[in-house]
Each structure stands twice: as structure tokens, then as C-alpha cells.
Amino acid sequence: MNPQMDLIGRTGLKFFGTMTASISHELKNVLAIINENAGLMKDLSLMARKGAPLDLDKVDKISSRFEQQVARADHIVKGLNQFAHTIDTEVKPVEVDEALEMVLSLAHRFIAMQNCAMEFKPSENPCRVNSNPFLLNNLLWFCLEYALENPGPEKQIGINCVSLDAKVLVSFTGIPEAAEKIHPCHLFSEEGTAVLQILGAEIEFNPETNSMILGLAKNSKNP
């Protein structure tokens, strides 16, 4: 038995459960809106059967709401499908920008609950790492979770990444508390530190810019 791998496995299951539970809440919200509008449509139908003129403008508005929610549900399910497939391959080339977009989409509900404004700027040049897609998403979620829990008074968090020779740097700005943190153990706990180590990643803080910087090795050691 490998204690570190057992810890990473438990951490991954917790991450997967957190994300899927959040997604299920979003899908329930979609179904609630569809159900509400189905009730409105039924009311219009009953009124028309009793001789009242059918308000076609209302029918059009309700139909439009159905279409919006179907599109929303389709987007959510596609995101869940992509997330689920991150466990298919242990190591593969991963575009960090795309991984960030996936995690931000999965965390949409958490971002809204914290009432934070999130500004993600995709990089101009490819930011690619050879890594475990699922563990990388898990690590990005740890960083985002920390940023959401420690925003500045403006509650404005910026995210961007840049590619260097041997690593990709992901910066989370607008985190004044970062100036007080000097080691990833203080940031993540035992589980997050294990993921950092297995991916060969590191955390640094820049108090001058109120930012947390995640360094990702372009060729990480993976399980």
C-alpha cells in the first residue's frame, strides 16, 4: 500500500463528489424553471379551453424560456461529460487554459455563492503541460477555492497563465491574504500538498501584487 496514493485517491473522490453534487444542484435549478414554465403553459391551455383568447406572446415567451433552459442543461451536461473523461488517461498533454475554463465552469455555483467577480484572461501562447488531467483539475480547484475564500474587499479575482521554458505559471490575483502565506501546507492541508507533490507543482506568493502563483512543471511526475 502507498499512503500517498491512498490519500490522493481519497482526495480525488472528494473532489469528484463536490463537483458532481454542485452540477446536480444546477440541473435541479434548470428542471425547476422548466417545471414552472410548464405550469404556466398548462394554465394558458386551461384558460383557452374555457374560451379565453390564447395569448400567443406569452406562449412565445414561455417557449423561449424552455429553449434557454434546454441550452443551459446541454451546456452543463457537456461540461460534466468532459470532466468525467479527465480520468480516462493518466498522463497526456493538457492545455492549462482549457483546464482552467473547465474548472471555472464546474465551479460556477461556488463563485456565485461567494459573490466574487472572476476575470480569466486566456494566454496568447499555448500553455501546455504533460500531466494527469484529473489531478491537474483537482489542483486548480484547490487554488480557486482558496482564492474564493480569501478575496480582497473588491471581491475581484483575476486568473491568467504564462508559459516559461520548463513550467507554466498560473496567477491568481486580488488575494491580499496571500502575503501572509509562505508554504503550500498553510494553504491546502495534507491532501492538497500531496497533489502538489505528485504533480511536481509549487506555490509562491507575491505580496506586492496580492497574488498567488501556481507553478506547473511541463513534464510532471505522475502516478
Side-chain angles (χ1 to χ4, degrees), residues 22 100 103-119 141 144-145 148 155 157 159:
S22 178
L100 280 166
V103 172
L104 287 170
S105 178
L106 292 170
H108 172 77
R109 178 170 166 269
F110 296 103
I111 295 170
M113 288 170 60
Q114 292 293 338
N115 195 29
C116 284
M118 196 70 57
E119 183 180 3
W141 160 244
L144 179 60
E145 183 182 42
L148 290 172
K155 288 200 169 186
I157 298 171
I159 305 175

Side-chain angles (χ1 to χ4, degrees), residues 79-120:
L80 175 59
N81 181 267
Q82 292 174 351
F83 175 55
H85 280 296
T86 60
I87 65 173
D88 291 349
T89 307
E90 287 190 1
V91 181
K92 63 177 288 188
V94 180
E95 295 292 344
V96 179
D97 276 340
E98 294 179 3
L100 280 166
E101 288 176 347
M102 179 184 295
V103 172
L104 287 170
S105 178
L106 292 170
H108 172 77
R109 178 170 166 269
F110 296 103
I111 295 170
M113 288 170 60
Q114 292 293 338
N115 195 29
C116 284
M118 196 70 57
E119 183 180 3
F120 169 54

Side-chain angles (χ1 to χ4, degrees), residues 40-129:
L40 293 174
M41 189 73 83
K42 186 174 182 179
D43 289 342
L44 290 175
S45 175
L46 290 173
M47 292 171 62
R49 289 177 185 277
K50 294 179 179 180
L54 183 61
D55 191 331
L56 295 179
D57 287 338
K58 286 186 178 180
V59 172
D60 288 342
K61 288 180 180 179
I62 294 172
S63 297
S64 178
R65 291 175 196 151
F66 279 130
E67 291 174 350
Q68 291 172 3
Q69 294 308 311
V70 168
R72 178 185 173 192
D74 183 63
H75 175 75
I76 293 171
V77 172
K78 283 181 178 177
L80 175 59
N81 181 267
Q82 292 174 351
F83 175 55
H85 280 296
T86 60
I87 65 173
D88 291 349
T89 307
E90 287 190 1
V91 181
K92 63 177 288 188
V94 180
E95 295 292 344
V96 179
D97 276 340
E98 294 179 3
L100 280 166
E101 288 176 347
M102 179 184 295
V103 172
L104 287 170
S105 178
L106 292 170
H108 172 77
R109 178 170 166 269
F110 296 103
I111 295 170
M113 288 170 60
Q114 292 293 338
N115 195 29
C116 284
M118 196 70 57
E119 183 180 3
F120 169 54
K121 294 182 178 179
S123 57
E124 296 181 359
N125 299 312
C127 289
R128 186 179 298 113
V129 296

